[in-house]
Amino acid sequence: MSEAAEEIVVVEAIGPSLTLIPAASAIVLGSLALLMVGVMPALLGALADNGRLSAAGIGQCATLESLTMGLSAGAAGMALKARHLRWISAVAALALALLDFASMPASGAGVLLLRTLAGIPEGILLWITIGMIARTETPERWAGFFWTALVAGQLLMALSFVWIIPKFGTQGGFATLGMTALFGLVAATRTPNFYGDLPVNPEESGAPPLRGWWALFATLLYTAASGAVMVYLQPMSHEAGLSADVARTSLWVSLAAQVAGGFLATLLAGRVHWFTVFCFSTLLFISGWFVLTIHPPAWLFIAANGWIGLVIVLIGPFLVPMTIEADPSRRTAMQSGATQLLAGALGPLLASFIVNDQDVYGAVWLGTGLILSGLILMGALHVTALRARKKLQPA
């Protein structure tokens, strides 16, 4: 192994520091866990086009997979010790691959069941990645690296789907996901085998304190918004009179912009306050969603998805310092990833009640309400944190 690979690259605030290969392996596991999230609009949209899933079923499937992913990641964060991580990650990666392969011929209720089960190993893999990030001295920077790696993988998968789905159908899409999940077996051999324990007072459990729960609720509202809107990307393109090819192009353009968003977040980490990022991103989200509702031409539909994609990833790393400001013990930060997954379930679930096969634009108005509510709550938490710090400063 080279000297560069042996150098400390992750300085941990809690637990041992890490060298390059274990840190990269932990990031790979989380990226594999969330690959399906990035291509879900294309894959579920193709199932709907083939009559194997209804419009409401798109939202329900996204909801169930994200729900089990978030619940399993959250439960692991509160109940499990970060020990024997190599064995745990290997078993989870193998289980995910098998469930992806089993999804190939499925339709209707079978798709819902298999993707619900797939959320369990996905959540466990994500827990391992978030566990590393939450313990670092610069969590927003390492979250930026994670998001960049994740969306780069999602971009490559979406680009491959432009060729795979028209040629091999959804069976080819699920087979590709399954083969990719098997790379987790390789990453599992080099991931850290344990992390340091998070600080907990004797009278406390491993759950977040009250302010931490409010921060998680703000995260839930804010991130549920994009899930509610973007899961209906392909139906929106059809409603605007555009083809499925435009929707698939929009997806990979969005993912390319997300890669840029990840790099931008990494550059801004430690230089720009998280609340400034969220205020700016909210404006871009709402303006992009509005464009989708005006029956735009193909180029504008694709461009709007590009700037939406940029901010989807830009905000991700800054959710971690937001939760740390609310709860310096970092127990809340450990639940941030799980909460975002639950938001990925909540958004499509709420949207499924207000859309139908002829009109899906209600998802945009729902998303706007959710994101503004989340921003207001974040602002309240930030103001109270500033006041608390001011009281502690000497006169």
Side-chain angles (χ1 to χ4, degrees):
M1 191 180 302
S2 67
E3 288 185 8
E6 288 294 337
E7 292 177 357
I8 298 296
V9 296
V10 181
V11 178
E12 297 282 358
I14 300 167
S17 297
L18 302 176
T19 54
L20 176 60
I21 292 178
S25 297
I27 286 176
V28 166
L29 292 175
S31 301
L32 292 176
L34 293 175
L35 274 184
M36 175 60 176
V37 175
V39 296
M40 195 175 281
L43 200 49
L44 299 186
L47 286 172
D49 287 349
N50 295 336
R52 293 167 59 188
L53 203 62
S54 66
I58 293 175
Q60 291 163 3
C61 188
T63 294
L64 291 169
E65 184 164 355
S66 296
L67 181 62
T68 52
M69 201 188 312
L71 289 175
S72 60
M78 286 191 284
L80 295 182
K81 293 284 188 181
R83 302 289 186 270
H84 311 295
L85 298 180
R86 290 174 185 162
W87 279 107
I88 292 172
S89 57
V91 171
L94 180 59
L96 176 58
L98 293 175
L99 287 164
D100 286 337
F101 291 135
S103 300
M104 292 170 61
S107 62
V111 174
L112 300 183
L113 174 62
L114 288 166
R115 298 322 303 172
T116 299
L117 294 174
I120 298 173
E122 288 170 338
I124 291 171
L125 292 172
L126 182 64
W127 164 65
I128 293 171
T129 304
I130 296 299
M132 182 199 81
I133 293 171
R135 289 169 169 84
T136 65
E137 289 189 347
T138 54
E140 65 269 38
R141 178 164 290 115
W142 282 96
F145 288 136
F146 167 52
W147 280 97
T148 304
L150 168 62
V151 296
Q154 290 177 338
L155 172 61
L156 291 174
M157 188 66 68
L159 287 172
S160 72
F161 275 16
V162 172
W163 175 74
I164 289 171
I165 290 181
K167 189 173 182 62
F168 299 103
T170 54
Q171 292 92 336
F174 281 118
T176 304
L177 284 171
M179 289 185 287
T180 305
L182 291 175
F183 284 106
L185 296 174
V186 178
T189 64
R190 301 309 304 272
T191 199
N193 203 33
F194 71 95
Y195 297 138
D197 294 330
L198 295 174
V200 179
N201 293 329
E203 65 275 10
E204 294 179 334
S205 68
L210 181 60
R211 277 183 58 83
W213 284 112
W214 279 113
L216 292 177
F217 185 52
T219 300
L220 184 73
L221 293 174
Y222 198 97
T223 54
S226 59
V229 178
M230 301 315 295
V231 75
Y232 288 100
L233 174 63
Q234 191 149 316
M236 279 189 201
S237 73
H238 293 330
E239 198 162 336
L242 305 173
S243 68
D245 287 337
V246 172
R248 283 192 284 268
T249 301
S250 297
L251 180 60
W252 71 255
V253 168
S254 173
L255 289 169
Q258 288 177 42
V259 175
F263 279 116
L264 181 59
T266 304
L267 292 174
L268 294 177
R271 297 181 174 89
V272 178
H273 194 272
W274 63 264
F275 190 64
T276 302
V277 172
F278 278 102
C279 289
F280 173 74
S281 297
T282 299
L283 292 174
L284 290 184
F285 269 126
I286 294 175
S287 63
W289 295 339
F290 174 75
V291 168
L292 300 182
T293 68
I294 62 174
H295 292 206
W299 70 267
L300 185 55
F301 188 92
I302 294 168
N305 278 281
W307 80 67
I308 291 168
L310 178 75
V311 289
I312 282 176
V313 172
L314 176 61
I315 65 166
F318 290 92
L319 287 164
V320 180
M322 187 272 290
T323 58
I324 292 175
E325 182 181 82
D327 171 25
S329 76
R330 301 182 184 235
R331 300 201 303 277
T332 301
M334 278 295 299
Q335 300 301 322
S336 179
T339 303
Q340 292 172 59
L341 292 172
L342 292 175
L346 178 65
L349 175 63
L350 294 176
S352 70
F353 292 116
I354 60 174
V355 302
N356 56 56
D357 290 340
Q358 287 74 45
D359 183 6
V360 296
Y361 288 145
V364 171
W365 315 125
L366 171 66
T368 300
L370 288 171
I371 203 168
L372 289 175
S373 299
L375 183 65
I376 290 169
L377 183 51
M378 288 178 185
L381 286 168
H382 179 51
V383 168
T384 55
L386 289 177
R387 288 176 179 172
R389 283 202 296 269
K390 191 172 183 180
K391 287 180 180 178
L392 292 175
Q393 291 176 353

